[in-house]
Amino acid sequence: MRVAVIDRTICKPKRCNRECIRFCPLVRSGIEAVIFDETIKGPVIAENLCTGCGICVKKCPYRAIKIVNLPEELEEVAVHRYGPNAFRLYRLPIPKLGKVIGIIGENGIGKSTALRILSGLIRPNLGNYESTPSWNEIIRHFRGSELQPYFEKLSSGKIRAVLKPQEVDKIPKYVRGRVIDLLNKVNERGILQEVIKKLALSEFIERRVENLSGGELQKLAIAATILRDADVYLFDEPSSYLDVRERLRVARVITSLARENKYVIVVEHDLTVLDYVSDLVHIIYGEPGVYGIVSLPRGVRAGINVYLKGYLREENVKIREESIKFELRPRPPEWKPEDVMVSWSRIVKKLGTFTLEVEPGEIHRGEVIGILGPNGIGKTTFIKILAGIMIPDEGYVDLKGKLKISYKPQFLSELRQDLTLKEFLEANCDIDMQSSWFKSNIERPLALTKLMERSMEELSGGELQRAAIAACLFKDADIYLLDEPMAYLDIEQRLRVAKLIKRLTEEREAATFMVEHDIVAQDFTAITLMVFEGVPGKYGYAHSPAGLRRGMNLFLKEIGVTFRRDLETGRPRVNKESSYLDRYQKEVLHEYYYIPSTD
């Protein structure tokens, strides 16, 4: 079965010569294999006629066309298709009463589509986009599976579903007013005060929605979802914008819903959170923007490990060229005096009513220092002091020689310019973009090829993040400062970026500071850690860089959670609260970041 997909967000027929039509050999022979559809204002490829020659793919200047071959039997499990030459989804995750079902996969692979179908917002068309089937036909399609009774109850109104959307930053465009007034309107379960306490909403409960930060909007959306009286709760990326403490707080609230015998489904890119909340995991694999296939359910540990290994044995599918493995026992760093690149004295910086104090420290060639701490504690302020953007009130930063610094900021709105990505990189970088080094080290790992002719103003959050990372790492620098590089990225992209940062730091004998809330990404990338603590918005205290184990113990003790290592992949896993391992590590070992002898 041949599938042709055209990305309508990239396809710009008015800006090209419609070469996808003009050069098609079938069209030139008189067969209408590719036509220009006036309704959608773009080309349409007749998949039953397409020979898969790939000429249209090569001729499209915007790389908007993909042609892939899929097994014919997949059509029997087609769940939804958006239109001609558009994305299609095969199979669905299976909701289970009293269980949290986790969904893992790349962006553009169908995770949000699956949630919208299971919530009832989209009626699955079973691949027939021209005529949506009736609920009876849909139920008959899923007969014999656990989805049959689920859709019977959903279609008849016997169960109610509520979905926490992915893009919480758009909430102020549609909702106005005070947070407390909005939550009172949706308080169908009468548990508002309990939710305010569990999610720590009291600090902004009286503020207006339009004045909230990204993390506050996320917690508002989660609270509004939980307050509704529903049978099915679906959460699309609930940890975005949140720090580690807030992510685990949200995870506990989500798991409590399953204990009330509800259906709970979570899409999440932070492996720590996904591991903590889920009972079962579905992997969605395929080609982003083209098709997605939902795997069989697996136990959460096995599912995440299989995903990291990149091979689904039951499906006999390889989803990655190489497996991802973490160091089971991180080696303590050993540095020579001549390796020091930057050192700093005790630093104090005051910003209004906020004060940041930093202990003395240093960074060495080939070292990645991970920076961990709550939001509003001074991490970005410290990075800006290192970059020379801010001047400390007390203390100094000592650069050992004339070192070049490359800085990726936390907020990316200033990058939205009237330039293509290619023009932006050419203007901001000093390495040849046509070189094999750029293509193999930056362009391909960050999947930038098809974005090069796109305007920076059109890029999504994840695409803009990858562009910012490329602009930072593309510079020939000695010090790299990366502020939350994993925000908006999916799991696959996070792992690629982590490997890229680690490898380039070592190869260039540079030094890198990385502010990041994803503990799995920090564990994979960082050699040493700087831990920030204090009172958000009032006082921040930064400890000197410490080894990974010591730094993690300091940080995890502060937030009151324990981690162990998975012996198969080496990845860090959070212990369930009050579990045997959690209590044993806290009370007996006094170790919050521990490598057990058995798992």
Side-chain angles (χ1 to χ4, degrees):
M1 180 179 68
R2 186 167 291 109
V3 174
V5 176
I6 301 175
D7 190 334
R8 304 294 174 190
T9 64
I10 301 175
C11 180
K12 306 290 183 183
K14 292 182 180 179
R15 287 161 49 184
C16 70
N17 297 321
R18 301 183 186 177
E19 293 178 344
C20 56
I21 299 174
R22 294 197 304 118
F23 285 92
C24 177
L26 288 178
V27 172
R28 296 170 77 174
S29 68
I31 300 173
E32 289 193 331
V34 187
I35 62 169
F36 188 84
D37 191 317
E38 292 294 340
T39 306
I40 62 173
K41 298 296 181 184
V44 174
I45 300 172
E47 293 171 2
N48 60 326
L49 298 174
C50 176
T51 62
C53 67
I55 291 176
C56 59
V57 176
K58 295 175 182 177
K59 288 295 179 180
C60 176
Y62 303 104
R63 300 180 177 89
I65 303 174
K66 289 184 180 179
I67 297 176
V68 297
N69 291 312
L70 293 175
E72 290 286 346
E73 56 267 25
L74 271 180
E75 284 304 295
E76 298 176 9
V77 292
V79 170
H80 195 72
R81 184 174 175 179
Y82 280 101
N85 308 143
F87 178 84
R88 61 205 69 197
L89 178 66
Y90 300 101
R91 296 199 288 261
L92 281 172
I94 302 170
K96 292 182 182 290
L97 270 175
K99 301 286 186 183
V100 179
I101 306 300
I103 301 177
I104 184 173
E106 297 181 67
N107 285 335
I109 209 76
K111 303 186 301 298
S112 294
T113 297
L115 288 192
R116 290 172 67 81
I117 290 172
L118 292 172
S119 69
L121 294 175
I122 295 178
R123 183 184 296 184
N125 58 30
L126 308 181
N128 184 5
Y129 58 85
E130 293 179 336
S131 177
T132 302
S134 66
W135 273 116
N136 286 335
E137 292 174 281
I138 293 168
I139 292 166
R140 190 161 53 248
H141 175 82
F142 289 105
R143 65 184 179 275
S145 74
E146 293 177 76
L147 287 167
Q148 179 187 357
Y150 179 84
F151 280 122
E152 285 176 346
K153 290 185 282 187
L154 186 67
S155 61
S156 62
K158 292 181 179 178
I159 59 173
R160 181 190 181 197
V162 58
L163 169 65
K164 198 289 292 181
Q166 176 186 4
E167 298 174 324
V168 295
D169 53 324
K170 293 184 178 179
I171 290 176
K173 294 181 181 179
Y174 305 102
V175 178
R176 298 280 179 178
R178 293 190 310 157
V179 171
I180 184 65
D181 295 333
L182 295 173
L183 293 180
N184 271 319
K185 289 179 182 178
V186 297
N187 185 23
E188 299 168 354
R189 299 173 63 198
I191 57 170
L192 178 55
Q193 293 306 315
E194 182 183 341
V195 169
I196 289 173
K197 183 179 179 180
K198 285 184 176 180
L199 291 177
L201 307 179
S202 55
E203 290 185 7
F204 61 90
I205 196 73
E206 296 293 337
R207 284 164 51 195
R208 296 185 63 82
V209 173
E210 53 267 34
N211 297 326
L212 300 184
S213 67
E216 290 164 345
L217 286 171
Q218 182 71 270
K219 291 203 289 183
L220 168 62
I222 292 168
T225 303
I226 293 167
L227 288 171
R228 292 189 179 276
D229 187 13
D231 306 282
V232 186
Y233 293 89
L234 305 106
F235 298 88
D236 200 345
E237 299 186 25
S239 73
S240 301
Y241 302 102
L242 302 179
D243 60 40
V244 177
R245 186 193 298 272
E246 295 290 353
R247 291 180 185 196
L248 294 175
R249 179 180 283 135
V250 164
R252 294 185 189 106
V253 173
I254 291 174
T255 54
S256 69
L257 290 171
R259 291 196 292 270
E260 297 175 24
N261 210 32
K262 306 287 187 181
Y263 295 100
V264 183
I265 303 176
V266 179
V267 167
E268 184 50 62
H269 293 310
D270 185 327
L271 289 179
T272 301
V273 175
L274 187 77
D275 192 4
Y276 188 76
V277 301
S278 305
D279 297 299
L280 297 168
V281 168
H282 285 275
I283 298 168
I284 305 186
Y285 60 95
E287 182 76 22
V290 180
Y291 69 95
I293 303 171
V294 180
S295 78
L296 300 170
R298 291 171 168 82
V300 60
R301 177 181 178 271
I304 293 176
N305 286 354
V306 162
Y307 185 82
L308 292 174
K309 289 178 181 177
Y311 177 65
L312 281 62
R313 186 175 61 186
E314 289 82 356
E315 288 88 346
N316 192 26
V317 172
K318 194 174 184 179
I319 61 174
R320 191 184 307 104
E321 288 302 317
E322 57 184 25
S323 63
I324 303 293
K325 287 214 74 169
F326 295 75
E327 288 187 50
L328 190 60
R329 292 172 177 82
R331 292 168 293 178
E334 295 180 4
W335 309 111
K336 301 175 183 177
E338 57 268 27
D339 291 332
V340 176
M341 297 186 74
V342 180
S343 63
W344 57 92
S345 67
R346 175 182 172 274
I347 288 174
V348 175
K349 179 65 179 177
K350 295 183 179 180
L351 296 169
T353 58
F354 176 78
T355 301
L356 171 66
E357 183 179 353
V358 184
E359 288 184 354
E362 58 188 24
I363 189 170
H364 311 80
R365 295 189 184 278
E367 182 178 7
V368 178
I369 292 183
I371 297 178
L372 275 171
N375 287 329
I377 208 74
K379 303 185 301 297
T380 297
T381 300
F382 176 64
I383 288 292
K384 287 183 176 180
I385 289 172
L386 293 174
I389 298 171
M390 287 185 176
I391 306 298
D393 299 321
E394 297 179 29
Y396 60 88
V397 175
D398 182 16
L399 302 179
K400 307 299 181 181
K402 295 182 179 179
L403 302 180
K404 297 179 183 177
I405 295 176
S406 183
Y407 170 54
K408 187 209 83 69
Q410 177 185 4
F411 301 108
L412 308 176
S413 55
E414 292 181 4
L415 300 184
R416 296 196 181 278
Q417 307 167 27
D418 188 19
L419 295 172
T420 64
L421 174 57
K422 183 178 180 181
E423 292 168 342
F424 170 76
L425 291 176
E426 287 174 340
N428 287 276
C429 304
D430 47 17
I431 300 176
D432 181 14
M433 286 184 61
Q434 301 305 317
S435 67
S436 59
W437 184 92
F438 170 76
K439 294 184 182 298
S440 61
N441 288 279
I442 302 292
E443 185 175 336
R444 282 197 287 272
L446 295 179
L448 299 177
T449 304
K450 72 175 185 177
L451 304 179
M452 285 299 181
E453 300 301 325
R454 297 267 303 276
S455 169
M456 295 291 288
E457 295 177 330
E458 298 174 352
L459 299 183
S460 67
E463 291 166 344
L464 200 64
Q465 185 71 273
R466 278 145 50 202
I469 293 168
C472 178
L473 298 180
F474 198 13
K475 292 178 181 175
D476 185 15
D478 303 289
I479 309 293
Y480 294 92
L481 308 172
L482 297 149
D483 200 344
E484 297 195 25
M486 306 303 176
Y488 306 107
L489 301 185
D490 62 38
I491 295 172
E492 201 70 28
Q493 291 164 351
R494 291 181 187 201
L495 294 172
R496 286 196 213 110
V497 168
K499 288 175 67 176
L500 185 60
I501 292 170
K502 194 172 185 177
R503 181 166 56 80
L504 291 182
T505 302
E506 291 174 354
E507 288 179 359
R508 293 172 172 175
E509 293 188 337
T512 299
F513 290 86
M514 186 177 79
V515 176
E516 183 52 52
H517 295 302
D518 187 331
I519 284 189
V520 171
Q522 287 281 27
D523 183 273
F524 186 81
T525 314
I527 295 175
T528 50
L529 285 177
M530 279 186 74
V531 177
F532 282 61
E533 58 186 20
V535 180
K538 295 181 180 179
Y539 176 72
Y541 186 87
H543 293 267
S544 298
L548 193 62
R549 189 164 191 163
R550 180 166 166 248
M552 281 289 190
N553 266 303
L554 179 65
F555 174 72
L556 296 174
K557 185 176 182 179
E558 174 68 18
I559 63 175
V561 298
T562 58
F563 275 69
R564 69 190 185 280
R565 289 270 186 183
D566 181 83
L567 296 179
E568 188 177 353
T569 61
R571 67 183 173 90
R573 299 188 67 198
V574 61
N575 294 318
K576 302 288 185 183
E577 189 176 14
S578 299
S579 66
Y580 167 74
L581 272 176
D582 182 55
R583 289 182 283 108
Y584 183 70
Q585 287 182 214
K586 287 177 180 176
E587 298 168 9
V588 178
L589 299 176
H590 304 290
E591 186 85 47
Y592 285 75
Y593 185 75
Y594 178 64
I595 304 170
S597 56
T598 58
D599 195 25

